[in-house]
Structure formats: structure tokens, C-alpha cells
Amino acid sequence: MPTETFLNLADEKRQTFIETALKEFADNNYDSASINKIIKELNIARGSVYQYFTDKLDLWLYLKEYSEIQKLRHIQSVDRSKYTDFWTYYEDLFIKGINFDIEKPLCSRFLYRIGYKESSKDVAEYIDNWKVTAKEIFTVWVDNEKNNGSIKKTVDTEIAVQFILSMSSSIGELVQTKYSNAIENNLASEKPLFTESIEEYKRTVKELVQLLKNALK
Amino acid sequence: MPTETFLNLADEKRQTFIETALKEFADNNYDSASINKIIKELNIARGSVYQYFTDKLDLWLYLKEYSEIQKLRHIQSVDRSKYTDFWTYYEDLFIKGINFDIEKPLCSRFLYRIGYKESSKDVAEYIDNWKVTAKEIFTVWVDNEKNNGSIKKTVDTEIAVQFILSMSSSIGELVQTKYSNAIENNLASEKPLFTESIEEYKRTVKELVQLLKNALK
Amino acid sequence: MPTETFLNLADEKRQTFIETALKEFADNNYDSASINKIIKELNIARGSVYQYFTDKLDLWLYLKEYSEIQKLRHIQSVDRSKYTDFWTYYEDLFIKGINFDIEKPLCSRFLYRIGYKESSKDVAEYIDNWKVTAKEIFTVWVDNEKNNGSIKKTVDTEIAVQFILSMSSSIGELVQTKYSNAIENNLASEKPLFTESIEEYKRTVKELVQLLKNALK
Amino acid sequence: MPTETFLNLADEKRQTFIETALKEFADNNYDSASINKIIKELNIARGSVYQYFTDKLDLWLYLKEYSEIQKLRHIQSVDRSKYTDFWTYYEDLFIKGINFDIEKPLCSRFLYRIGYKESSKDVAEYIDNWKVTAKEIFTVWVDNEKNNGSIKKTVDTEIAVQFILSMSSSIGELVQTKYSNAIENNLASEKPLFTESIEEYKRTVKELVQLLKNALK
DNA sequence: CATGAATGAGGCTTCATTCAT
DNA sequence: TATGAATGAAGCCTCATTCAT
């Protein structure tokens, strides 16, 4: 976790540091990400990084926690108890996710990498397998829905869960790839970053969830 | 692509080389994979690698092509023209995929990494194309099925394709993770590598495809 | 030498600083000793060190002088003029040395390092002089004793001096190693630090001096 | 231990490497010795060192073994069984030691550092406490001599051993410091390296041993 | 054709010291 | 006077690649 030195940094400087480091770690595997590149980009001294963090791993862990907090802020506004229907809840989670991706694209890409692409041994132990957790949550829920009748009883629970997990990953990836491209294109063409496409993505998500629903009904 | 020197190598030597290199690249990102380690493992001269291949990238590209060819050999036995029903064809593709994973686990893991985990800039331009290709193939096919009536016309083609792609990824990952574990466990416990679990995986695949079918029908 | 700032420090703070710095320099070579670690241990500002001392060397020199003064305070209670016999005087010096080692173990260990283990070029010019000084003192004294008859005249003075110096070093080392272990063991076992072993050491010193006497008589 | 690469090096190159590395490690503590300085002195590439040795420790261990072998070659010509008198044997060991110091001054200084000055934690476990071994050997021998009558029975064996050990250290140090200076002076003044002083040292050693004998008789 | 020594860029990290606040 | 952020040199080590033999 960062030193006091880092936390005491002027807000702007600290933020610039975070963004630059996030970009490096979002674009590269843990092993390939280079502290050298970060300091060159930031134009700061080599030693500064080590006044902020004890080492590369410490920096990575901080960025992970930072990103997860950012994501939580977006996600937690979706209050499960307000939904009578799981599917709508599930759908809204993704739509919030899209907002997160739009507003904090670096965090989003970094977390995406951690969740799907990271394979360095140095961080392996810190990649808490969200898939395992998600599986447990979904299993409970699928059983529920079977009783409700919104999922038919002949479907094997484990397989249904696997099915839903697939879709979840997939929707995440969809946003990451398609959407990042869109943002980059818009950036390049100096158009406003977020155009009508958000609506398009929301529609896509809804239809995919609808298919999921069909499949299991 | 490899030099003649490499192709003229004694079969066994060439094969050992391939396996060792594959293992290194299957276990590590392109950047992290180390030619150093390969030559130490093989106990060959440093220079040999550069007499077989022009550089690291060249070696990687060869391994990629080699693995793809191995995979094709397994897959192409599934002859589309023999199937009246696409879903059955699709299902059989995955079942063949499982066989491939069992018989050529290094190739399989290497290709899996390329498809899902690789992110080095050095190889960026050589990967990811399969999703584009697959998309094109599935688009043609979804339109077909819509005419056949096995996919309902109200579903947006692009979304249906996305849906199928998700499931395809997912099934691939399923085999990689669950199955690799099984293999490793069996290895460790000195049991025969492939046990009854194959049948279990086949069943899982079939059910997942069935769900896909339901969703789109 | 330290700045006024340092000397004006509250007694306790100054003392804590000295002890912590002493510990670092007693445990590590000059080069390996780290100001970093000292300030972390003390929880003080990096800059403070440089407001107390001009640089690392200055700090080291101060600690050296400080330790030497501490040692002198112990040693000078042994008043040469009160002894008619040099050997008894010599013996008592060591016995006082043991007291010093017990009461100021950090100073003692630091001085021991300086005398026997230090080899950094940065401090080379400040050490080793004690052997030269000691040699001069012993030379005068050996000549004296030759006249007294307590050292036989056929012994080469230089060699006799060398012989006495050896024994001096050796007794010092004896205390450092054997005694430090005892202290540490006692610390670990929560026994009182100084047990009957002091008497044992005194006895050892006396016997060694006796041998010295025999040798030269 | 060194790689084949190192062992296959041209004799002269390998020897130059050893000498340069020995000099660095003889002049500096393990921590302070710098591979950087070695490669600059040798004008070789940074990476070469790591083709010869796995790391700094590996290099140090090799130099240690190398030096010990060199020393053994000198020492083992002194065959204990040919001596009826231990003191003569003991004396000759030191005289051989002087020869070693003259012929392999770097090895000698390096071993001296290991034996007396080294305090890095990285190598602590490899500094086999020769003092412990020596103590055991001397204890056996002192008991013997007591029976022979060449050491009087009233002397405490442990103390006698301590006494002899001191002298052993001391003679070693004597050679190291006095002699090194002489060599360096001679080097500087382009005189022949080894002058009449050898005889002087031999005489010194003999007289010191004589004192030792007196002390214990 | 195989060998394996040489290369040097680049990686992470530690450190003593400076200096603006 | 105290603070603590900034600095950059130097340390060890790994790597892909080259090239003389």
C-alpha cells in the first residue's frame, strides 16, 4: 500500500501518477509493464516511485484496490433489494458497468486484464478468483429461479450457471473491445467521446439478456 | 518461418524442440517466455535457436502455425457437408476440440493463450483475427438458419452472432480450466490421464449447445 | 561533528537517535549501514539527519567519538599511578572493558567493528590508528619493564609488543563473541542479562595475562 | 560454481578475470564489492559475468574455493607426521603461510578478509567458522602436550587454546599488514617484490612461537 | 552446421543527499 | 527548525541477439 508520501502528494500530481501507471498496467501484463516507461512518461525521477510504493507489486496492488473501489462506487448504486426480478437487476449491473467503462476506462481496462488476461506468477496469488465467487452467487440464484418458474427445472443448475457466467464474461469483453475502439476512434477524430453508441450498447445488453432468459425458460 | 536447417533436423530432435518451446510459450506470455530457459531445458547451444529461426517472433509464429495445423487436423475430420443440422455440427466441433486438448495439451494451451490471454505488443498484429473470421462465418450461418426457421427472425443477427461467440469462448475456457485441472490431478496421482470425465465434458457441451438452441429458437 | 541543532535536541530524543544510529553502524559495515533504515526506525524526517550532521561520514565520526568517550569514562577510572605493577594495571583495563561491554554494548560492538572489521574506503583514513598508538605506548612500557626485570632483556622489544597487542586483540574479541552470545541467550530466555559469567570472564582474563607474563619473564 | 562457459575460457582470460575479481573482493566487503567495477576494470560486457556465474554470491563462492585450494597446495607440503615436535610444525605452517602470501597475495588477502573482516549477511552462512575447527584441533593437541610435559599441567586447557588461537590470528594479521605494505612499497618503487624482509618475518614468527612456548611451559 | 562467448539495453531497487516549504 | 518530496547515480540481474570459431 502506498506510503504517506504518496498520499500527501498534491491531488493533481497524485492523480496524474495514478492515471499514467494505470495506463501502463492496463496496456501490459504485470511482467511487461515497465516502471521505467511510467517515470519517463511522467518525467519524474526513478527514485520517486519507490518513495511512493515499496515495489512494483505494491504499486500494482494499490492500482487494483483503487480500481476496485472506483468500480464499487459505480456498481453499488444498483441495489438488489429494489428489484423484484433478477434479470432486470442483472441487466442493470451491466449497464452500470458500461457507465464505469465510459467514465473510468483505464480502471475498467486494468480490471478487465486482471480478470481475464493476467498470467504473471508474481501476482497470481492476488487474483482472487471472482469466477468462483460468482459461481456460488449464481448457483443460489438459479435454484431460486427454478422454484419461481422463471428457469425451467430440467436444466442442470451447474450448466445454467456456466451459461450465465459465459454471458457475463462475454458482455464485459464486448464492452471492452467494441467500446474501447469507439472511444479511441472518437478521441482520434476529436468527436465527443460518448455518442449515441451508449444507447446501442444498452440495447445489445438487453437483447443478450433476453436471449439468456429465453434459453433458460 | 523456420529455416531448412530446422526442417532437416532429426525428427525426434525437432519434435523435442517444438514441445519444449511450446511449453515455454504456453506457460508464459510472449514477453515473459524466455529463449534462455528453452535452451537450458533442451541443453542445446544458444546459437542453434537462431539457426532454426530468425528471432523470437519467428519462433512464436512457427509454433502458432504448427499448433493451428495440429488443431485443424483434429477439427477437419468434422465435415460440415455431412451434417444437415448446424447445431450438431457445432457441437461436434467442440467435442473434437476436447480430443485435441487431450491429445495435444501444449498446443491447446498455447492457442488458448493466444486467443484469450496474450497481450504483448510484439505479437498484437498476429492475433485476435479469429474472432473477426468467426464472426463472418457465424453471420452467414445465422442468416441461413433464420431462413431455415431454426433461428427466429426477430433476433438481431449481430446479437445472435455475439451470443454464439460468447458461448464458443466459454466452452473453450471450460475445457481449458476444468480439464487441465483434471489432467494435472491425474498426473499427480499417477492415474491414467483420461478418465470418465471426458464423457462428462461431452455432456456439458451438449447441454450448453442445447441452451444456445433454445435461446435462439 | 554534529550541529548545534543536534546538541540542543531534547536529551531523550538525542539519546534515542544515538542508540538507533549506533545499532545500525554496529550491525553493518559503514557502506552497508543505511541512513534510510535509521530514519525509518526512528520515525523522523529524512532531512533531520542532515540538519544534525553534514553527511553520513560526519554521523559516523560523531558516533565514533561518542563511543570512545564512553569507553574512556570506563577505562580512565583505572589510574595507572595507583599500580606498582603494569600487569595488574593491564589486567584491570580488560576487566573494566568487560564492564563497558556490558553497560554499553552498542558502543562496544561499534568500536569492535571499527577496530577489527571495518574496511570501507570512506572511513579508512579514520581507523586503525589505535594500533599505532598502542604500539607506541607498549614499546615505552616494555622497555621500562625490561629495566625493572619483569621482562627479560633478551626478548626483542618489537616482538614483545606485537605479542602483547595480539593478546589485547584477542581478549577483546573473546569478550565480544562469547559474551555477546551469553547476553543474547539471556535476553532470549528472559533471564537477567548478566549472570555469574562475568566472574568466569574475569578469571579467563587473569589467566591469559598470567600466561603473557610467563612468556615474557 | 562457475558455468562451463567460464571453465572453457582461454586460460589467460580466465586468469585475468579471477585476479581482477579477487582484487575487488579482497579490497572490499562482500556488500561493497562491485561487479560493475570488475567489468569496467576488465573491459568486458556486463552480461559476461552472468554467463560465467549465476550471481554475485556464486562468484564469491568460487573465489573462496579457488583461494582455499591455492592455499592448501602451499600448506599441505607441511606434513605433520614428519615432525616430532608440534611447535616446529606449527612454526612451519606459518612460514608456509608467508610463502603463500607472497606468491598469491590476492588469495591471501581475500581469505584473510573472509576469516577476520567479513560481516555481510549474504555470506554469513558460508563462512565456516575455522575458529571452531581450530579450537578442537588445538584442544586435542594441548592435552597431548600436557602429557608430554611440554605444556605444564596447571594451565587450563581452554585458556591455553584461546591463547594459541590468539597468536595464530595475530601472526596471520602481522603478515597481512606488515607484509602487504612492504610488497606495495616495493611495487611502487619498482624494486624486486621480495627482499630480505622474508627472513625478518620468519625470524619474527619463530620468536613469537618461542614466546608462546615459554608461556605455556 | 553447431557452438557458445560476447554484448549491452533494459529491468527493478536502494541509497545518500538536496532543497523548497 | 523540521519536514519530506525529489533526485539520479549505482547496484544486481535477465534477456534476445550476434558472430567468430
Side-chain angles (χ1 to χ4, degrees), chain B residues 81-130:
Chain B
S81 66
K82 289 191 182 146
Y83 293 81
T84 49
D85 175 36
F86 181 86
W87 293 112
T88 323
Y89 167 63
Y90 181 72
E91 206 177 280
D92 275 10
L93 276 180
F94 280 104
I95 287 166
K96 289 288 176 186
I98 291 172
N99 284 329
F100 175 63
D101 195 61
I102 287 165
E103 289 176 29
K104 306 274 180 185
L106 289 177
C107 290
S108 179
R109 277 162 56 205
F110 176 56
L111 290 178
Y112 177 70
R113 174 175 293 278
I114 291 179
Y116 300 106
K117 301 246 170 185
E118 188 59 65
S119 66
S120 160
K121 281 154 190 164
D122 291 352
V123 295
E125 58 180 307
Y126 302 105
I127 60 181
D128 239 355
N129 303 325
W130 72 266

Side-chain angles (χ1 to χ4, degrees), chain A residues 29 113 131 166 170 173 178, chain B residues 29 131 158 166 170 173:
Chain A
N29 244 22
R113 173 175 295 279
K131 284 181 190 170
S166 307
S170 169
E173 191 183 12
K178 258 202 174 176
Chain B
N29 244 24
K131 283 184 189 168
E158 203 185 340
S166 306
S170 171
E173 190 182 13

Side-chain angles (χ1 to χ4, degrees), chain D residues 19-133:
Chain D
E19 304 261 307
T20 307
L22 263 179
K23 178 151 175 42
E24 181 67 13
F25 280 103
D27 287 349
N28 300 93
N29 242 21
Y30 178 81
D31 285 337
S32 306
S34 156
I35 286 182
N36 244 8
K37 279 178 203 142
I38 295 174
I39 62 158
K40 270 174 197 157
E41 178 69 28
L42 283 168
N43 221 17
I44 62 171
R46 199 169 276 287
S48 291
V49 178
Y50 295 91
Q51 292 236 10
Y52 303 156
F53 299 93
T54 47
D55 55 17
K56 193 185 184 180
L57 179 60
D58 192 38
L59 168 56
W60 185 87
L61 286 170
Y62 172 70
L63 293 175
K64 179 167 174 276
E65 189 176 299
Y66 174 84
S67 300
E68 285 166 347
I69 289 170
Q70 300 298 320
K71 179 149 198 177
L72 258 183
R73 283 202 194 140
H74 276 264
I75 296 298
Q76 67 194 7
S77 67
V78 186
D79 179 357
R80 176 69 183 95
S81 66
K82 291 190 182 146
Y83 293 82
T84 50
D85 175 36
F86 182 85
W87 292 113
T88 325
Y89 168 63
Y90 181 71
E91 207 177 281
D92 275 9
L93 274 181
F94 280 105
I95 287 167
K96 287 289 176 186
I98 291 172
N99 283 330
F100 175 62
D101 195 61
I102 288 165
E103 287 176 31
K104 305 275 179 183
L106 291 176
C107 290
S108 178
R109 278 161 56 205
F110 177 55
L111 290 178
Y112 176 70
R113 173 174 295 280
I114 291 179
Y116 300 106
K117 303 241 170 186
E118 188 59 66
S119 67
S120 160
K121 283 148 195 166
D122 290 352
V123 295
E125 61 178 306
Y126 301 105
I127 298 185
D128 32 53
N129 208 336
W130 65 267
K131 284 181 191 171
V132 174
T133 319

Side-chain angles (χ1 to χ4, degrees), chain C residues 9-205:
Chain C
L9 238 42
D11 276 9
E12 197 193 317
K13 188 167 186 181
R14 194 176 58 247
Q15 208 51 38
T16 313
F17 183 97
I18 291 173
E19 303 263 306
T20 307
L22 264 179
K23 178 151 175 43
E24 181 67 14
F25 280 102
D27 287 350
N28 300 94
N29 243 22
Y30 178 81
D31 286 337
S32 304
S34 156
I35 287 183
N36 247 10
K37 278 175 202 146
I38 294 173
I39 61 149
K40 268 175 198 158
E41 178 70 28
L42 283 169
N43 223 15
I44 62 170
R46 227 173 195 53
S48 294
V49 178
Y50 293 89
Q51 276 199 320
Y52 304 156
F53 301 93
T54 49
D55 56 15
K56 193 185 187 181
L57 178 60
D58 191 37
L59 168 57
W60 184 86
L61 286 170
Y62 172 70
L63 294 175
K64 180 167 174 276
E65 189 177 298
Y66 173 85
S67 299
E68 284 165 346
I69 289 170
Q70 299 298 317
K71 180 150 199 179
L72 258 183
R73 281 204 195 137
H74 275 264
I75 298 296
Q76 69 193 6
S77 68
V78 185
D79 180 357
R80 177 70 184 94
S81 66
K82 290 190 183 147
Y83 293 81
T84 49
D85 175 36
F86 182 86
W87 292 113
T88 325
Y89 167 64
Y90 181 72
E91 206 177 280
D92 275 10
L93 276 181
F94 280 105
I95 287 168
K96 288 288 176 185
I98 292 173
N99 283 329
F100 175 64
D101 195 60
I102 288 164
E103 288 176 30
K104 305 275 180 185
L106 290 177
C107 289
S108 177
R109 276 162 56 206
F110 178 54
L111 289 178
Y112 177 71
R113 175 175 293 278
I114 291 179
Y116 301 106
K117 302 248 171 184
E118 188 60 64
S119 67
S120 162
K121 282 154 190 163
D122 291 352
V123 294
E125 57 178 309
Y126 302 105
I127 59 182
D128 238 355
N129 303 325
W130 74 265
K131 283 182 188 168
V132 176
T133 319
K135 209 165 186 174
E136 288 164 5
I137 293 172
F138 281 136
T139 302
V140 170
W141 170 72
V142 164
D143 282 337
N144 258 0
E145 300 302 304
K146 277 186 178 177
N147 290 335
N148 284 352
S150 75
I151 290 183
K152 67 179 162 204
K153 294 201 166 122
T154 54
V155 177
D156 183 279
T157 301
E158 204 186 339
I159 285 171
V161 167
Q162 179 64 37
F163 192 65
I164 296 165
L165 276 175
S166 308
M167 289 311 308
S168 308
S169 301
S170 170
I171 294 173
E173 191 183 12
L174 178 73
V175 171
Q176 281 296 333
T177 57
K178 260 204 174 174
Y179 210 78
S180 293
N181 286 345
I183 289 184
E184 273 170 39
N185 289 340
N186 290 349
L187 259 174
S189 58
E190 306 201 1
K191 280 192 286 188
L193 280 193
F194 312 120
T195 60
E196 73 291 343
S197 52
I198 304 176
E199 287 312 313
E200 189 193 326
Y201 282 101
K202 285 188 185 169
R203 193 181 54 80
T204 307
V205 168

